[in-house]
Amino acid sequence: MAERLSPGDPAPDFTLQDADGKPVSLADHRGRKVIVYFYPAAMTPGCTKQACDFTDNLDQLAAAGYDVLGISPDSPEKLAKFRTKESLRVTLLSDPDRATLTAYGAYGEKMNYGKKTMGVIRSTFVVDESGTIAHAFYNVRATGHVAKLLRDLDV
């Protein structure tokens, strides 16, 4: 089981392909605050709701100095379809080997309908301008999470 991250921990760096197959690194965002969120699968109801909520609030978050990166094990091709189908504006990144998910403690054992399974733990991290974890939220709900995050961040 991967260690969970806590505020004050350095955010594990990563370079992953976006929906267009271009590399995106966490380091590219130094000097801005970054919301990194992990979700199980593109085109599923909860993940779609969450991505749409982030897209709907993207201008407000950007104005407050936040970039948003969504990470799942999906292929860049699937992410591109997801982005087009739902008119998403958040940057979606592909982590097919789950190395970044694991580094953030967002992949591991979880309860799914009363059964223990291995999978993506829906999680959100706020990384500050210097690359340090400011907030770590595990097992978040897809619905209402973005609204709660805006309240927690005073955005």
Side-chain angles (χ1 to χ4, degrees):
M1 185 78 182
E3 281 296 305
R4 292 199 160 184
L5 297 173
S6 301
D9 290 343
D13 206 2
F14 55 80
T15 301
L16 298 170
Q17 287 190 331
D18 70 7
D20 300 312
K22 294 190 185 75
V24 174
S25 298
L26 182 60
D28 299 340
H29 296 269
R30 281 293 184 278
R32 298 213 11 112
K33 293 172 281 201
V34 187
I35 294 168
V36 180
Y37 80 95
F38 295 91
Y39 62 97
M43 314 238 224
T44 55
C47 299
T48 298
K49 172 89 180 95
Q50 192 177 18
C52 289
D53 281 352
F54 271 119
T55 292
D56 291 345
N57 290 284
L58 204 58
D59 293 340
Q60 195 178 347
L61 287 163
Y66 291 93
D67 295 334
V68 179
L69 303 174
I71 300 176
S72 73
D74 297 303
S75 68
E77 297 74 26
K78 185 170 178 190
L79 295 177
K81 283 189 189 128
F82 185 38
R83 182 182 61 191
T84 303
K85 180 172 185 271
E86 303 297 338
S87 307
L88 300 174
R89 292 187 298 132
V90 291
T91 300
L92 301 174
L93 302 177
S94 169
D95 183 22
D97 62 4
R98 300 175 179 81
T100 302
L101 282 150
T102 301
Y104 278 79
Y107 184 80
E109 204 173 80
K110 64 178 189 175
M111 292 302 280
N112 202 9
Y113 302 109
K115 288 195 174 102
K116 276 189 179 172
T117 59
M118 287 298 284
V120 176
I121 299 160
R122 191 184 302 275
S123 310
T124 300
F125 302 88
V126 179
V127 180
D128 72 13
E129 296 88 342
S130 62
T132 302
I133 301 283
H135 299 276
F137 303 101
Y138 288 94
N139 296 308
V140 301
R141 294 194 174 279
T143 304
H145 172 61
V146 174
K148 181 183 180 321
L149 191 62
L150 292 172
R151 285 195 303 274
D152 288 350
L153 300 176
D154 284 328
V155 173

